[in-house]
Structure formats: C-alpha cells, structure tokens
Amino acid sequence: MEILKTKRLMQQWSRARKKKGKTICFVPTMGYLHQGHISLLEKGKPLCDELVLSIFVNPSQFGPNEDLDAYPMDIDNDLRLAAVAGVTAVFLPQKEDIYPPHFQTRICLDSLPHHLCGMSRPVHFGGVATVVTKLFHIVMPDVAIFGKKDFQQLQIIRQMTWDLDFNIEIMGGEIVREKDGLAMSSRNAYLTADQRKSALSLSRSLHMAGQVIAKGEKNPLVIEKEISCFIQSFPQTRIEYISFCDPATLETVGVIDKQILLALAVQVGKTRLIDNVLIDPPQ
Ligand code: AMP
C-alpha cells in the first residue's frame, strides 16, 4: 500500500496506473475509520484494479462554530485498517496542498443543498462539492463510493457528477450500524455513556415510523408528531429536523403514497447526529 502525501504524487501515481490500463475505485473520507468506511472499501475492492482511500478533514465544509478542531483522528489505526481492506494507495494531503493561498473557487448547486442538513449548515455542501471535485481531478477514479448515511451528500455528488460530465460512476454504500442500531459515525466518539443511550432514539424512531407506515398511515405530520415525542423523551436530545421527503429532490412530501426518505438530525448533548431510511408505503 502506497502512502501519498501530496497531490502531485497522487496524480503521478494515478496517471501511471491509467497508462497501464488499470481502473481506479475511490473512497473519500475524513478518517477515524470505522466499519461504515470499511464497508465502502470492501464494496469497491472487487470493482477495479486499484483501490484508493483519501483521508482529509476538509476545513471548507465546516461552519465557524462546528467541530473542525475537535474532529477525531488516528492515522496509524486508519492505515492499518486500510491495508487489511486491500487499499492500494492512501492519499493524505495537507490542507495547504488542497487550498493554497488565493484559492477562490467554489462549486455550488441550485437546489439539493437547500434542504435537510443544508438548512443549518449553509456552507457545508459547497465545501463538500468543491473538495470532492478537486479529489476527483487528483485521483482520477473510474468509480467512487459514498455512504447512504450521508444521503444528501450522495445525491449532491451524483447530481454534480452528472451536471459537470465527470465520467465517474458514483455508487452508494448501505448504512452500517452498531448491533443496537446506532448508525456508525466518527462523531459517535464524542458521546458520553448517557448520551450514547439517547443516541439510540434516532434509529429507533426511524424503525417506529416504518411500522406506522406499514400499518397504512400516509400523513407525515402524524408520524412526525409521534417520533418527535419519542426522541424528546430521551435526555439531552434536541431535534434539528425530521423530514419526510422525495429521495430524488429532497423536497418535503405531503402524503406518503410512494417511496419516501425519512431523514433526521438530532443534537445529542453537543454532538450532532444524522440518520435516515427509505420507506415504501404498503401495496
Ligand atoms: P466521513 O469520514 O464521515 O466523511 O465519511 C466518509 C464516507 O463514509 C462517506 O461517504 C460517508 O457517507 C460514509 N459513511 C460514514 N458512516 C457510514 C456508515 N455508518 N455506513 C456507511 N457509510 C458511512
């Protein structure tokens, strides 16, 4: 496994592989790897000749009062896990290499970022789209894999890739959960033991909503009321949003008569957690 610490070295590596006719699968991350990240690497491993992992805590996707400085890191453990997963190159750029002085370009999309997480994180998806664009140009992958845990991010990357003719196949990986249902996240490391219990309110409420819809409830407002009471019954929780929306446009739906995305953001203590599920109404 090669470790490439500058964009020039990464580009040279990718160009050399492409010259030999090799295909490249790419999994971008911010590190502190867990089984959710590993599942994306495992999905990608058989798809291409090369498997590239990037680890970069991207400052431009954090707002001024967010957790950029506190974001957990353990590069040694990440490299060990990457080698076990069969990664052939790890791209570990420095901030100055990605955002040199006088950098001034930003990718923005008209509609998808203005829903769900974008409402409270106005700079987030511009930062994501910009860094992913740069990483795509540097790594030059044939396939790139993103987790459905960040469903809105996945849709934005799909849209951007299509809009801007990147010629990269974007694939989604299923959400990996702890045994008790909590969606894995690097940010779970922030939770105290009590908060960890409250964090279960997210996955449990998604499950509850699925059961209510399976029984025939079609009104999102009725279900929203029920799950919001449920989440609030857990200590230290503050709901940011509960959204029943169209999975393609992320626009709110008024009636559940086709597949919907139910997406949540809840602050547990100081930690912001997200989760989601696709739900089909009964036939
Ligand atoms: P991050 O390091 O949090 O930026 O995540 C890197 C990639 O891993 C993104 O595509 C995430 O959607 C994905 N990811 C994070 N957590 C999970 C999870 N629990 N299951 C599946 N994919 C995940």
Side-chain angles (χ1 to χ4, degrees):
M1 185 173 83
E2 296 210 35
I3 298 168
L4 304 154
K5 295 192 173 174
T6 67
K7 65 182 176 192
R8 195 176 53 80
L9 288 172
M10 184 71 240
Q11 268 165 337
Q12 279 173 357
W13 186 92
S14 288
R15 275 203 200 99
R17 296 302 175 292
K18 300 226 125 192
K19 238 184 190 165
K20 289 188 189 151
K22 305 281 187 202
T23 54
I24 299 174
C25 179
F26 178 41
V27 176
T29 75
M30 298 204 299
Y32 210 66
L33 300 187
H34 51 66
Q35 196 51 41
H37 300 115
I38 303 302
S39 73
L40 305 182
L41 295 170
E42 286 169 350
K43 188 179 173 85
K45 184 65 187 163
L47 301 178
C48 292
D49 302 310
E50 304 288 352
L51 180 60
V52 177
L53 165 74
S54 68
I55 299 175
F56 179 60
V57 181
N58 173 37
S60 77
Q61 69 189 63
F62 287 78
N65 298 316
E66 294 182 358
D67 58 342
L68 173 62
D69 294 332
Y71 201 82
M73 266 169 66
D74 187 347
I75 291 292
D76 292 341
N77 192 49
D78 288 353
L79 293 178
R80 198 178 52 73
L81 293 173
V84 173
V87 167
T88 53
V90 184
F91 181 37
L92 278 182
Q94 293 298 306
K95 197 173 77 187
E96 299 70 28
D97 200 23
I98 298 296
Y99 298 111
H102 313 301
F103 183 88
Q104 53 181 300
T105 303
R106 212 170 159 81
I107 302 281
C108 57
L109 290 82
D110 289 338
S111 166
L112 284 173
H114 301 298
H115 302 279
L116 310 179
C117 295
M119 311 276 277
S120 66
R121 306 188 76 192
V123 301
H124 178 66
F125 290 112
V128 169
T130 304
V131 80
V132 170
T133 297
K134 287 180 65 84
L135 292 170
F136 280 177
H137 288 314
I138 297 164
V139 175
M140 298 177 261
D142 300 277
V143 178
I145 311 185
F146 294 82
K148 293 184 189 172
K149 158 95 187 331
D150 301 275
F151 193 93
Q152 185 173 18
Q153 167 174 282
L154 171 63
Q155 293 301 71
I156 285 172
I157 302 299
R158 280 191 201 287
Q159 183 72 43
M160 173 188 93
T161 306
W162 186 79
D163 286 346
L164 300 180
D165 302 307
F166 269 97
N167 198 22
I168 297 169
E169 185 184 351
I170 306 299
M171 297 182 71
E174 297 307 319
I175 300 178
V176 177
R177 298 176 178 282
E178 303 285 357
K179 276 203 187 84
D180 60 8
L182 177 67
M184 289 193 184
S185 164
S186 306
R187 289 189 168 98
N188 292 348
Y190 298 145
L191 300 169
T192 64
D194 284 344
Q195 291 166 350
R196 174 70 180 70
K197 288 181 195 150
S198 290
L200 279 180
S201 61
L202 282 88
S203 56
R204 292 210 178 141
S205 59
L206 295 179
H207 184 68
M208 258 171 67
Q211 287 180 324
V212 176
I213 293 171
K215 283 190 193 136
E217 183 58 65
K218 287 186 164 29
N219 185 347
L221 296 178
V222 171
I223 309 166
E224 184 184 332
K225 203 166 161 198
E226 198 169 319
I227 62 180
S228 114
C229 285
F230 177 74
I231 294 171
Q232 281 162 0
S233 73
F234 288 77
Q236 299 192 64
T237 54
R238 195 178 62 74
I239 297 169
E240 186 184 297
Y241 67 75
I242 297 173
S243 174
F244 294 77
C245 60
D246 180 312
T249 63
L250 306 182
E251 271 160 27
T252 306
V253 298
V255 55
I256 303 170
D257 53 5
K258 55 180 180 345
Q259 186 180 66
I260 56 119
L261 173 76
L262 169 54
L264 306 175
V266 177
Q267 192 104 19
V268 179
K270 286 194 171 136
T271 306
R272 185 179 179 279
L273 300 176
I274 57 171
D275 203 347
N276 70 79
V277 66
L278 290 168
I279 306 178
D280 291 296
Q283 293 300 319

